[in-house]
Amino acid sequence: MTTSATTPATGTVTGLMRDIAGIGTDRHRGGYTRPVFSHAETELRGWFIEQAGRRGLDVTTDTNGILWAWWDTATGVRKDAVVTGSHLDSVPGGGEYDGPLGVASALAAVDILKSRGVRPRRPLAIAVFPEEEGSRFGVACLGSRLLTGALDPDKARNLRDADGNTYADVAAANGQDPRFIGPDRKALQQIGVFVELHVEQGRGLADLGRPVAVGSSILGHGRWKLSVHGQGNHAGTTLMQDRKDPMIAAAKIMLGIRDTARNYRDARATVGRLQPVPGGTNVIASRVDLWIDLRHPRDEVTAALVESIHLNAQVIAAEEGCTVSFGTESLSPTVHFDTGLRDELQALLPGAPVLDTGAGHDAGVLAGHLPTAMLFVRNPTGISHSPEELVEDHDAEAGAGALADVLAGLLGEARVIG
């Protein structure tokens, strides 16, 4: 959709974040639950469209469901653009700032630039990517992966959520035609650079006593689904020695995953989701599905870790009379952000430290196709993907100011950074 509203708008990041603080609150888990295509995420998208329109930005939605809010130059040519933005969806019971902080900061940065009388010599756009967390359909950064061709459209259309609904069906029910999802070379060619601001998901800045950092790299990471197949049976009539219980095997496998990861320096392995089938209290499960998140700076170590976990799982399952199936759901290699762009951000933000991150981001997906960079804003708790995630008001405003400084510098002369 497109809006041409030009009502002047100004706002602080904290004010913008307060506007959406009641959307998608999770009374059961705490925090926020805002999966893609949910009522909460749809309401947030509407909020962004309204806010961008108030700032005179031209808002469009592409075939992959990505929102683009354009501040055009006098020529109206959308080429070599400076793009910023983030996402609005969340993990189940997630924090307030993961994603929305980057979107709110982008809107606030536009206000700052306009208050300074900036007239961009390059077009500026704010992008909002859907399903960054992958919390509904299991593939992180789904929107940016479709945009860049990193995810096959047929695979995306057939992804299923926990209720068995396909991405294609849910997208169609929400006004997006799934026939047209996939690589968008024209959209990519419009972008000169992409800078994503995000809450830091660790304690780097808290320990350094600094409000904002420049990103250097993203650890390689992926998601794998492991299913343990056993024999479903009655909990009361099946003797212990006669059982082929996949839940027992799954428990041992999870302990093995932890122990295996400890053997690899800097490895992170997590089983954050486990689902027995059929899931009755008085039923021995017939199958247990578990999802594994693995991360390491070196991709060859990630591969070795995956192989070790798979082989170990097969041995453990066999000991319990069970079998396993194992498959990759998503995989992103370690990303090093464009060094020229990173150096330019450091020059624009003197004294800002440089940090890497173990969390995935759309900027990491785009990095293989164009120069990308990241800014991190201090999180004093160091906790993320949790209601305890936090950004102090003064740090949020410092982040928006830093983003505005970066955007102003990048908009100053039309060129492609390589």
Side-chain angles (χ1 to χ4, degrees):
M1 67 178 289
T2 303
T3 180
S4 58
T6 57
T7 304
T10 59
T12 62
V13 178
T14 50
L16 289 164
M17 293 296 291
R18 280 195 296 270
D19 287 346
I20 61 175
I23 301 175
T25 54
D26 193 319
R27 296 181 181 179
H28 175 66
R29 302 181 182 92
Y32 294 85
T33 297
R34 298 160 165 170
V36 69
F37 296 127
S38 66
H39 176 76
E41 195 244 9
T42 300
E43 188 174 353
L44 288 174
R45 287 168 66 89
W47 165 83
F48 171 76
I49 291 170
E50 188 270 335
Q51 288 290 333
R54 288 179 59 196
R55 288 160 173 80
L57 306 181
D58 183 45
V59 185
T60 64
T61 306
D62 70 15
T63 57
N64 293 309
I66 303 168
L67 291 171
W68 303 87
W70 289 91
W71 182 0
D72 291 312
T73 63
T75 67
V77 177
R78 293 175 178 175
K79 185 178 180 181
D80 191 33
V82 176
V83 181
T84 186
S86 194
H87 62 97
L88 293 169
D89 63 307
S90 78
V91 297
E96 181 178 357
Y97 300 93
D98 183 352
L101 180 68
V103 177
S105 297
L107 292 167
V110 168
D111 293 339
I112 294 170
L113 293 176
K114 289 192 172 186
S115 72
R116 295 177 182 173
V118 172
R119 294 187 177 182
R121 295 178 60 188
R122 302 168 69 175
L124 172 68
I126 303 173
V128 178
F129 294 93
E131 184 69 333
E132 192 271 353
E133 298 291 3
S135 62
R136 182 163 187 178
F137 292 100
V139 177
C141 301
L142 187 144
S144 55
R145 287 179 189 274
L146 285 171
L147 169 69
T148 59
L151 178 64
D152 179 77
D154 285 333
K155 179 178 179 180
R157 280 186 279 265
N158 289 296
L159 292 170
R160 293 183 181 272
D161 64 15
D163 295 322
N165 303 305
T166 67
Y167 178 86
D169 289 342
V170 176
N174 283 271
Q176 180 183 332
D177 193 330
R179 295 176 299 172
F180 302 118
I181 63 173
D184 191 339
R185 183 179 297 273
K186 180 180 178 181
L188 282 175
Q189 289 177 339
Q190 292 178 321
I191 307 172
V193 294
F194 178 73
V195 179
E196 180 173 0
L197 180 145
H198 205 279
V199 58
E200 190 197 358
Q201 295 171 286
R203 287 196 51 84
L205 282 166
D207 292 341
L208 291 170
R210 304 299 296 271
V212 180
V214 176
S216 61
S217 61
I218 297 176
L219 269 64
H221 58 281
R223 298 180 183 185
W224 288 263
K225 180 181 179 181
L226 190 151
S227 297
V228 187
H229 305 268
Q231 176 62 63
N233 216 326
H234 195 292
T237 62
T238 310
L239 299 177
M240 300 304 290
Q241 63 267 28
D242 294 335
R243 300 185 178 204
K244 298 179 180 179
D245 189 344
M247 187 66 85
I248 301 300
K252 292 181 178 180
I253 289 169
M254 285 189 287
L255 289 172
I257 290 170
R258 179 200 64 182
D259 295 341
T260 300
R262 286 177 171 175
N263 292 328
Y264 293 84
R265 181 180 175 86
D266 295 326
R268 298 101 190 260
T270 306
V271 177
R273 180 180 167 202
L274 181 143
Q275 185 173 321
V277 179
T281 303
N282 60 344
V283 179
I284 300 169
S286 59
R287 186 181 84 244
V288 175
D289 297 327
L290 55 94
W291 286 262
I292 309 166
D293 182 297
L294 299 175
R295 304 174 191 237
H296 194 275
R298 293 170 53 198
D299 298 332
E300 65 271 22
V301 174
T302 302
L305 184 58
V306 170
E307 182 179 7
S308 181
I309 287 172
H310 186 196
L311 291 174
N312 191 42
Q314 290 177 309
V315 172
I316 291 171
E319 290 172 350
E320 296 295 330
C322 300
T323 60
V324 299
S325 56
F326 190 77
T328 303
E329 293 211 326
S330 65
L331 179 61
S332 299
T334 293
V335 171
H336 297 279
F337 293 121
D338 183 87
T339 55
L341 181 57
R342 185 193 66 202
D343 291 347
E344 186 158 1
L345 264 62
Q346 286 185 269
L348 292 166
L349 302 174
V354 177
L355 297 175
D356 62 14
T357 179
H361 300 282
D362 291 304
V365 176
L366 296 176
H369 303 267
L370 54 99
T372 66
M374 291 196 71
L375 296 177
F376 298 119
V377 177
R378 176 166 49 192
N379 175 356
T381 68
I383 297 172
S384 189
H385 284 185
S386 163
E388 296 173 71
E389 180 180 86
L390 180 64
V391 174
E392 301 285 358
D393 290 355
H394 56 87
D395 285 343
E397 303 309 333
L403 179 61
D405 289 343
V406 164
L407 296 177
L410 295 174
L411 290 167
E413 57 180 298
R415 72 202 187 285
V416 177
I417 299 173

